[in-house]
Amino acid sequence: MILNNQRQRASSPDKKLTQTIAIIGAGAVGSGTAWHLSELGYDVTLIDPQISQPVKQSGKRSGTNASLGVLMGYVFRRSTGRAWHLRERSMHLWPTWVTKLNQISCPLKINHPLIQLANSEAEASLMNELSKTRSHLGIELLKHQISNKQSKSWPQTKYGGLISNRDGRIDSLSLKKCLEIAMKKLNVQTISSSVLHIEKISSGSDSKWRLHLADGSAQKFETIVICAANESEALLQPLGYSLPLAPVLGQVLEVEIQSSNNTINWSGWPAVLSINGINLIPNGNNRLLIGATVEQGEYPDFLKFQNLKDLNGNAPDWLKDSTVIKKWHGFRSQPINRPAPLLEKLEPGLILATGHYKNGILLTPATAEWVGRNINEESKSIWSQ
Ligand SMILES: Cc1cc2nc3c(=O)[nH]c(=O)nc-3n(C[C@H](O)[C@H](O)[C@H](O)COP(=O)(O)OP(=O)(O)OC[C@H]3O[C@@H](n4cnc5c(N)ncnc54)[C@H](O)[C@@H]3O)c2cc1C
């Protein structure tokens, strides 16, 4: 167990901020929320058995470690409702997050732009509409492919596409690392163990919850925030909540492009090229990330992997001839019969912030802000009693 206990929180003279908060799950959502809450001055403990564990090069990874980190916010087709507002808010918050988290020992940036290629005349016409209503958010119609001799042709440009200048990609592994460093500076306590059981402590006590950990220890907290993706359901069931989540598998691969004479530096390529749900992401000279599949089941399907590499029959020869140098998979967490994500205050001191399905990285800042607001409101009502 890693525990840095005796902490001094000089920055929180306000009584309400001394409440103790445990966050279960240190993926992007849990880590981002822990950092945000500690910035607000709360006393935060982050619990996850994977804290400080190295990321596997291949095979199964956690959702965040498997993620491509694509930030597809402003190209979202709807302009109303919670899903749009969360995306808009996150995209608004990301530049500030990156400025605060970026440091010499952990460079962090968002690569722009994101280009979506249309698949049909009908899709091209929808893109045309979006470019008119979202030009103030950096969206414009793609006129032509930028070409360059050292670069590689795009797979399909027949119907044109859309450029989203403010959407793009953040490296989710760098994000997690930068959050770790930033949390250390703010004295966020980390426990490298899993929560086996959440016990509600009867009223009259200062602490409302006791967490029983796999390392045999137990700790009391006033507020619990559950960010444990697919494992959240099992943690909540004994407390009387039924919030089913389905794991949805996604495969990602990294290829190396064969090039006898030139180094491919991807000039003329956007940060993300998206075709029919598949994202192509330049990842250094001659390297490209391709992902992700959407699969049911526990194990990656080889046929889906082949279709991914082949871009469902649309891959140009240079991509067909490339060599797979890495492949991994992870599980998204999809709420059943409810829209993603699950942002719910279940009862005083018990908050659920999970089930982000395909957009957990994108929605991390808006989620953290939502949790912070809810805890703040709760603190106010406690202290005004
Ligand atoms: C292949 C793939 C590609 C993706 N691409 C994108 C993308 O381009 N853009 C995007 O925005 N999103 C993408 N996603 C989705 C995104 O990765 C997830 O929505 C996001 O990572 C969810 O983050 P999280 O913190 O909620 O969950 P996770 O990253 O899954 O973290 C949950 C954590 O909870 C911990 N945990 C579980 N149970 C317990 C317990 N009992 N006690 C303590 N800790 C526990 C786990 O160890 C884990 O570290 C992708 C997902 C996949 C699989």
Side-chain angles (χ1 to χ4, degrees):
M1 183 169 85
I2 304 163
L3 195 68
N4 58 323
N5 222 334
Q6 306 294 315
R7 293 178 308 149
Q8 311 242 316
R9 185 169 290 286
S11 62
S12 60
D14 191 341
K15 195 179 175 193
K16 73 179 187 226
L17 299 186
T18 59
Q19 73 165 290
T20 54
I21 301 173
I23 298 189
I24 306 175
V29 174
S31 300
T33 302
W35 172 65
H36 176 65
L37 294 180
S38 63
E39 271 219 311
L40 295 178
Y42 288 106
D43 185 345
V44 182
T45 300
L46 182 63
I47 307 169
D48 191 320
Q50 289 197 32
I51 285 174
S52 308
Q53 296 295 312
V55 176
K56 280 195 213 157
Q57 288 299 304
S58 60
K60 186 179 158 188
R61 294 185 179 181
S62 73
T64 298
N65 292 350
S67 172
L68 289 166
V70 174
L71 306 180
M72 234 182 240
Y74 291 128
V75 287
F76 190 58
R77 297 297 189 260
R78 272 177 272 150
S79 302
T80 53
R82 188 184 76 135
W84 164 244
H85 290 303
L86 282 172
R87 279 163 177 76
E88 199 186 18
R89 187 65 194 153
S90 252
M91 290 310 296
H92 177 78
L93 292 170
W94 266 119
T96 312
W97 272 50
V98 169
T99 304
K100 285 186 181 174
L101 292 169
N102 175 40
Q103 49 213 294
I104 293 166
S105 61
C106 185
L108 190 68
K109 61 178 177 163
I110 295 174
N111 291 321
H112 305 282
L114 177 143
I115 289 182
Q116 274 185 339
L117 297 179
N119 232 347
S120 60
E121 292 289 357
E123 201 183 358
S125 141
L126 287 175
M127 288 180 169
N128 192 12
E129 284 306 307
L130 205 67
S131 70
K132 287 178 192 156
T133 53
R134 299 252 172 98
S135 61
H136 64 295
L137 295 175
I139 294 199
E140 54 185 306
L141 217 50
L142 180 70
K143 297 281 181 336
H144 50 79
Q145 176 184 351
I146 309 151
S147 63
N148 180 301
K149 273 188 190 159
Q150 271 74 49
S151 194
K152 290 283 178 195
S153 59
W154 296 354
Q156 173 196 296
T157 48
K158 198 161 104 187
Y159 302 105
L162 206 62
I163 309 180
S164 182
N165 290 299
R166 297 195 209 160
D167 286 330
R169 185 208 177 214
I170 192 160
D171 183 318
S172 47
L173 298 182
S174 302
L175 170 67
K176 260 181 73 174
K177 195 173 158 212
C178 293
L179 282 168
E180 248 175 69
I181 296 171
M183 281 191 282
K184 224 174 232 169
K185 287 187 188 151
L186 290 171
N187 290 329
V188 171
Q189 187 167 275
T190 55
I191 301 179
S192 182
S193 183
S194 56
V195 175
L196 297 181
H197 173 57
I198 305 172
E199 181 192 355
K200 187 174 179 178
I201 303 171
S202 56
S203 56
S205 162
D206 277 350
S207 296
K208 291 179 177 162
W209 310 94
R210 187 180 286 118
L211 297 185
H212 297 268
L213 308 183
D215 61 18
S217 66
Q219 286 209 35
K220 287 185 194 172
F221 297 94
E222 286 156 293
T223 296
I224 306 291
V225 185
I226 302 176
C227 305
N230 289 305
E231 313 306 320
S232 306
E233 190 182 347
L235 288 170
L236 283 169
Q237 229 158 27
L239 296 169
Y241 295 99
S242 170
L243 290 154
L245 292 155
V248 179
L249 193 148
Q251 299 189 60
V252 174
L253 52 107
E254 183 169 10
V255 295
E256 188 163 65
I257 313 301
Q258 319 292 334
S259 176
S260 46
N261 9 357
N262 295 321
T263 297
I264 301 151
N265 62 14
W266 303 109
S267 61
W269 273 63
V272 182
L273 187 66
S274 181
I275 312 147
N276 203 12
I278 299 179
N279 298 304
L280 304 181
I281 300 171
N283 196 33
N285 289 342
N286 296 28
R287 302 262 175 108
L288 194 67
L289 293 173
I290 309 177
T293 62
V294 179
E295 305 175 34
Q296 306 304 320
E298 209 179 325
Y299 301 103
D301 181 333
F302 186 63
L303 195 62
K304 299 241 181 200
F305 162 82
Q306 281 180 318
N307 289 340
L308 185 64
K309 171 138 196 290
D310 190 40
L311 304 185
N312 294 316
N314 286 319
D317 287 344
W318 61 263
L319 191 52
K320 282 187 190 146
D321 294 342
S322 66
T323 310
V324 176
I325 53 168
K326 268 189 215 169
K327 59 175 177 172
W328 64 82
H329 65 276
F331 291 89
R332 310 167 182 96
S333 176
Q334 183 182 28
I336 298 175
N337 297 329
R338 282 168 193 258
L342 296 176
L343 302 181
E344 299 195 20
K345 190 171 180 174
L346 299 168
E347 56 187 276
L350 185 63
I351 290 176
L352 181 64
T354 200
H356 289 73
Y357 190 37
K358 290 183 176 178
N359 291 292
I361 308 300
L362 165 64
L363 298 180
T364 289
T367 300
E369 186 180 67
W370 179 88
V371 173
R373 277 216 193 105
N374 273 274
I375 291 177
N376 191 25
E377 276 164 22
E378 195 164 283
S379 309
K380 273 190 209 147
S381 63
I382 289 169
W383 295 109
S384 60
Q385 275 166 12

